[in-house]
Amino acid sequence: EPEVTQTPSHQVTQMGQEVILRCVPISNHLYFYWYRQILGQKVEFLVSFYNNEISEKSEIFDDQFSVERPDGSNFTLKIRSTKLEDSAMYFCASSEVMGPFGQYFGPGTRLTVT
Amino acid sequence: QKEVEQDPGPLSVPEGAIVSLNCTYSNSAFQYFMWYRQYSRKGPELLMYTYSSGNKEDGRFTAQVDKSSKYISLFIRDSQPSDSATYLCAMSGGTGANNLFFGTGTRLTVIP
């Protein structure tokens, strides 16, 4: 069964450093999303992406965040200058059609900022 | 942000029991309601979804939405140890209809 994959599974970085989290969505999906979950808190929407453009973003997704589809298979989330409060599990999701249904989630990348 | 409230549990039930999981919400614009299951170290997996009010059944799972009370439920009949996981409600609607607003998740353990 096709699945969303994410690398790395765990990333440790120092405050102020840039990190890139990578995702390979399901191959025929056209809509991509990033969510994050701070330990003990809710899963929160960050951004949705379609046709090489951001479709929607939350207020969490400020100027230190960016997303990119650098090639036909990868979808990346870059955090320019990490802060301690960026420590969280980051989930990538993809869907065949835009909308709340049918979003398939990857296993997540645990980001630890020290 | 308290748009979606969910009792975090944990909830322990014996095998075969009926499980009831619930969420309340405050945003009357929500029209789409989902239940996700999340196993340890895995991403959320979509279990069921409903649009607007009503019931939906899929095997041992039944999802109910009561928009007048802003209350949604997931019932699991004949619960199995393999149902042990964290269950997340999620919903969306209105502006930002593609964004999912999640509850905190309820951790369920089904004891053999």
Side-chain angles (χ1 to χ4, degrees):
Chain A
E1 186 173 326
E3 57 183 16
V4 176
T5 59
Q6 291 185 243
T7 54
S9 56
H10 189 195
Q11 172 91 49
V12 181
T13 190
Q14 287 190 330
M15 199 166 51
Q17 294 297 303
E18 175 183 286
V19 294
I20 297 177
L21 309 182
R22 301 179 194 280
C23 168
V24 179
I26 293 173
S27 61
N28 64 331
H29 287 184
L30 300 176
Y31 301 87
F32 315 114
Y33 314 83
W34 283 101
Y35 292 82
R36 79 170 185 193
Q37 185 175 28
I38 295 171
L39 187 64
Q41 297 186 26
K42 298 176 182 179
V43 175
E44 299 172 291
F45 170 79
L46 292 178
V47 66
S48 60
F49 189 88
Y50 168 70
N51 200 25
N52 283 320
E53 285 184 346
I54 290 174
S55 307
E56 292 174 68
K57 61 181 181 178
S58 71
E59 54 192 36
I60 301 169
F61 193 88
D62 61 21
D63 290 344
Q64 70 159 345
F65 291 93
S66 62
V67 289
E68 192 179 29
R69 188 151 163 83
D71 54 44
S73 58
N74 288 283
F75 178 50
T76 62
L77 174 69
K78 182 192 291 187
I79 309 175
R80 249 178 284 283
S81 177
T82 50
K83 306 182 189 121
L84 294 176
E85 53 266 36
D86 294 327
S87 295
M89 182 72 89
Y90 288 81
F91 292 107
C92 172
S94 70
S95 64
E96 200 169 353
V97 295
M98 180 61 81
F101 301 147
Q103 292 187 23
Y104 289 82
F105 283 73
T109 292
R110 180 167 298 285
L111 176 65
T112 301
V113 182
T114 62
Chain B
Q1 186 181 24
K2 297 196 173 188
E3 291 202 77
V4 182
E5 297 289 323
Q6 183 176 8
D7 185 342
L11 181 62
S12 286
V13 300
E15 184 175 352
I18 296 174
V19 176
S20 171
L21 304 166
N22 311 294
C23 287
T24 58
Y25 63 95
S26 57
N27 188 343
S28 56
F30 286 150
Q31 297 277 359
Y32 306 95
F33 304 94
M34 278 72 62
W35 285 96
Y36 283 81
R37 177 173 60 195
Q38 187 175 22
Y39 293 114
S40 182
R41 294 191 172 82
K42 297 281 192 180
E45 170 197 7
L46 181 63
L47 265 182
M48 297 187 71
Y49 62 86
T50 54
Y51 172 70
S52 196
S53 281
N55 295 355
K56 185 173 184 178
E57 190 172 316
D58 184 3
R60 296 184 296 110
F61 298 87
T62 300
Q64 285 185 354
V65 175
D66 181 351
K67 289 192 70 185
S68 62
S69 302
K70 297 190 178 68
Y71 188 87
I72 71 170
S73 301
L74 178 72
F75 296 96
I76 308 174
R77 287 184 299 282
D78 187 25
S79 55
Q80 303 295 308
S82 57
D83 294 329
S84 298
T86 296
Y87 289 80
L88 304 157
C89 64
M91 43 198 85
S92 71
T95 55
N98 304 313
N99 316 348
L100 299 181
F101 291 86
F102 282 85
T104 50
T106 300
R107 188 164 185 173
L108 171 69
T109 302
V110 180
I111 302 164

